[in-house]
Amino acid sequence: MLQRVALLQRAVLHSPAIRSLSSGSVDITAPLNFWGGKRRESKERNNVENVYEPSTGRVLCKLAPCGAAEVDQAVEVAKSAFGPWSKMSGMERARVMIEAAHIIEKRREEIAEMEVVNNGKSITEARLDVDSARLCIEYYAGLSSTLAGQHVQLPGGSFAYTRREPLGVCVGIGAWNYPFQIAAWKSAPALACGNTMVFKPSPVTPVTAVMLAEIYDEAGSPQGLFNVVQGGQQTGSLLCHHPDVAKVSFTGSVPTGQKIMKTASKGVKPVTLELGGKSPLLIFEDSDLENAVRGALMANFLSQGQVCSNGTRVFVQKDILHKFVNEVVKRTQAIEIGDPLLESTKMGALVNRTHLEKVLAFVDQAKKEGATVLCGGEPFIPSDPKLRHGYYMTPCVLVNCRDDMTCVREEIFGPVMSVLSFETEEEVLERANDTTMGLAAGVFTRDVQRAHRVIEHLKAGSCFINNYNITPVEVPFGGFKMSGIGRENGQVTIEHYSQLKTVYVEMGDVDSLF
Ligand code: NAD
């Protein structure tokens, strides 16, 4: 494990900011943009923001958002790379992508450590994120040579065929909870289909996307294949409005998704929207209780609860409620919180102070509305003095929740589990579906028929039977209702990043009506 100081220095990478970090001043912005084959520092000096290390509260570097001129440059190089990249065969594209996957494998530890430094999640989880990114790139490399159209025989010997063609320059916009993984999940299918991409990470976690850009570059991609521009709302909006952008793939909150859809509608650009959730987890009395408890913890406390698909409404059948809650509370209290770079740590820091305060306010609101806190829901100060200013809280289990409470209706995006009890299957299905969201849902039961019956009635895009939050890259992930449009992963994504051209071929004379 690298020393923390070395990690901090690497986080602002090859930058004079390293010197300012060691002298305690962080006036210099970090070169975290990437286009045309190299890292770049933004020239804009409006709205420069601090980037923090959540586990210590320390400023890592400053981030200057890209303005219109810089967005134009990044889109322009992506446009020039589109020519050569889209003309390569699927096998040739696959070779570059497989090489990128190899480099990710080699740099796994370094990328994971960067993610921990900038996001606050535990090193164990960060490694899994890096693995998921690599697997996704390998998976789509495999699919890139399978892209094919159809041949349709028509009367009189004429025929038609379809060609699956790339869209052009795609824009990817990411949330802060899985920075590196989101960049890979968006770029892999886009590149496999022959598109190029300009990616904008969240300004809260800008550090690792640029590493992916370097990796694609080192893997032998044409310059401009995968580019990174930094910034927040304004930069994102500039990208979505850009006339040379063919598609927008977004991961983030519902309100931002709505804005992006509106902007994209002006150019009638296709969008993929991976938005929020308020997912139900149904635990029936015949469940394997040990597994149900483990599943509920996975469904709520992964990544400090900052996971879109989390099953935060835990419906437990009345007869096992007491036993379930006792076991969940015992294990929640045993979760080791602290330095996310330590192997023993199970829960790191939330992403920033504002977000920590928002999550704690949700717990207070739940208490005011009559919920009972059985454990957690408080700020946590680790004993290590260097972590004293980090954004930690104790994972929380709420009982005596009602369906109309804020904690049950709104996405908290923190380590807060709301437990509700139910009596019948019919009742719980109605309550589980009573939400505008539909990202995920889970069921624990030993009754095979019930499991499938319940899943059929749950209005959610990503469902789990006897497990939770398992997202293999080979299968689609995404939501129903206000949780989004389109999917990440799986073969279906090829359709989101390509368009069909139909070609009619006449083999006889033109039979004119005129
Ligand atoms: P957010 O919506 O605040 O920001 C997401 C991204 O959009 C950021 O990069 C931001 O800079 C950018 N952005 C903001 N305004 C924009 C605009 N007008 N035009 C273009 N881009 C703009 O979300 P967040 O706080 O970063 O992430 C948390 C949310 O993301 C939660 O709601 C969570 O459920 C959701 N999320 C969903 C998935 C999924 O796969 N469904 C995965 C992760 C996170």
Side-chain angles (χ1 to χ4, degrees), residues 170-386:
C170 298
V171 157
I173 297 180
W176 46 255
N177 58 344
Y178 284 85
F180 190 78
Q181 183 185 296
I182 291 175
W185 279 21
K186 294 203 180 298
S187 59
L191 304 190
C193 290
N195 305 286
T196 58
M197 179 166 268
V198 180
F199 184 80
K200 190 196 80 60
S202 164
V204 179
T205 50
V207 170
T208 47
V210 70
M211 298 173 88
L212 184 61
E214 284 175 332
I215 287 168
Y216 280 128
D217 193 57
E218 192 187 331
S221 71
Q223 269 191 14
L225 180 69
F226 178 79
N227 312 278
V228 174
V229 296
Q230 301 286 353
Q233 183 174 339
Q234 273 184 2
T235 312
S237 178
L238 284 167
L239 283 168
C240 298
H241 274 104
H242 202 290
D244 291 333
V245 164
K247 181 202 163 81
V248 181
S249 177
F250 170 75
T251 297
S253 63
V254 174
T256 310
Q258 288 166 323
K259 280 188 211 156
I260 285 177
M261 204 170 164
K262 198 168 164 194
T263 307
S265 74
K266 291 185 186 136
V268 198
K269 294 174 190 173
V271 290
T272 296
L273 301 177
E274 293 298 339
L275 309 178
K278 191 68 198 175
S279 302
L281 173 59
L282 281 48
I283 299 179
F284 286 90
E285 62 193 4
D286 65 348
S287 305
D288 173 334
L289 195 72
E290 165 68 18
N291 269 322
V293 168
R294 291 154 72 113
L297 298 178
M298 281 291 283
N300 280 273
F301 300 141
L302 215 54
S303 207
Q304 296 74 249
Q306 304 164 130
V307 182
C308 50
S309 53
N310 270 359
T312 50
R313 292 183 294 142
V314 182
F315 292 94
V316 184
Q317 205 158 15
K318 206 170 160 200
D319 286 356
I320 57 162
L321 180 67
H322 188 65
K323 228 168 146 186
F324 172 85
V325 165
N326 280 347
E327 199 53 37
V328 160
V329 168
K330 198 172 85 194
R331 296 196 196 188
T332 302
Q333 286 172 324
I335 291 173
E336 194 154 326
I337 312 165
D339 188 344
L341 283 169
L342 294 180
E343 300 290 337
S344 56
T345 295
K346 295 282 183 252
M347 191 174 275
L350 275 73
V351 80
N352 60 29
R353 178 153 304 284
T354 315
H355 188 61
L356 170 66
E357 283 166 4
K358 187 173 147 200
V359 174
L360 292 170
F362 268 112
V363 176
D364 282 344
Q365 180 69 18
K367 286 194 259 184
K368 278 189 204 131
E369 291 179 20
T372 308
V373 176
L374 285 188
C375 65
E378 312 242 312
F380 177 81
I381 301 174
S383 52
D384 182 342
K386 73 176 180 294

Side-chain angles (χ1 to χ4, degrees), residues 58-73:
R58 176 177 179 169
V59 176
L60 270 181
C61 61
K62 299 242 181 222
L63 187 73
C66 286
E70 289 162 325
V71 164
D72 280 349
Q73 283 174 39

Side-chain angles (χ1 to χ4, degrees), residues 105-173:
E105 196 165 19
K106 276 191 238 142
R107 293 179 67 179
R108 178 183 191 242
E109 203 56 21
E110 179 200 349
I111 302 165
E113 285 168 350
M114 281 306 125
E115 202 75 314
V116 172
V117 167
N118 193 196
N119 170 279
K121 64 174 67 188
S122 74
I123 185 73
T124 311
E125 285 196 41
R127 286 185 192 123
L128 295 175
D129 295 358
V130 178
D131 292 345
S132 171
R134 173 181 54 79
L135 288 168
C136 184
I137 293 170
E138 284 173 4
Y139 174 74
Y140 284 105
L143 284 188
S144 71
S145 60
T146 68
L147 305 186
Q150 251 190 325
H151 173 275
V152 182
Q153 197 59 49
L154 296 166
S158 295
F159 63 94
Y161 64 94
T162 57
R163 291 166 51 88
R164 192 157 279 289
E165 297 188 353
L167 301 165
V169 178
C170 298
V171 157
I173 297 180

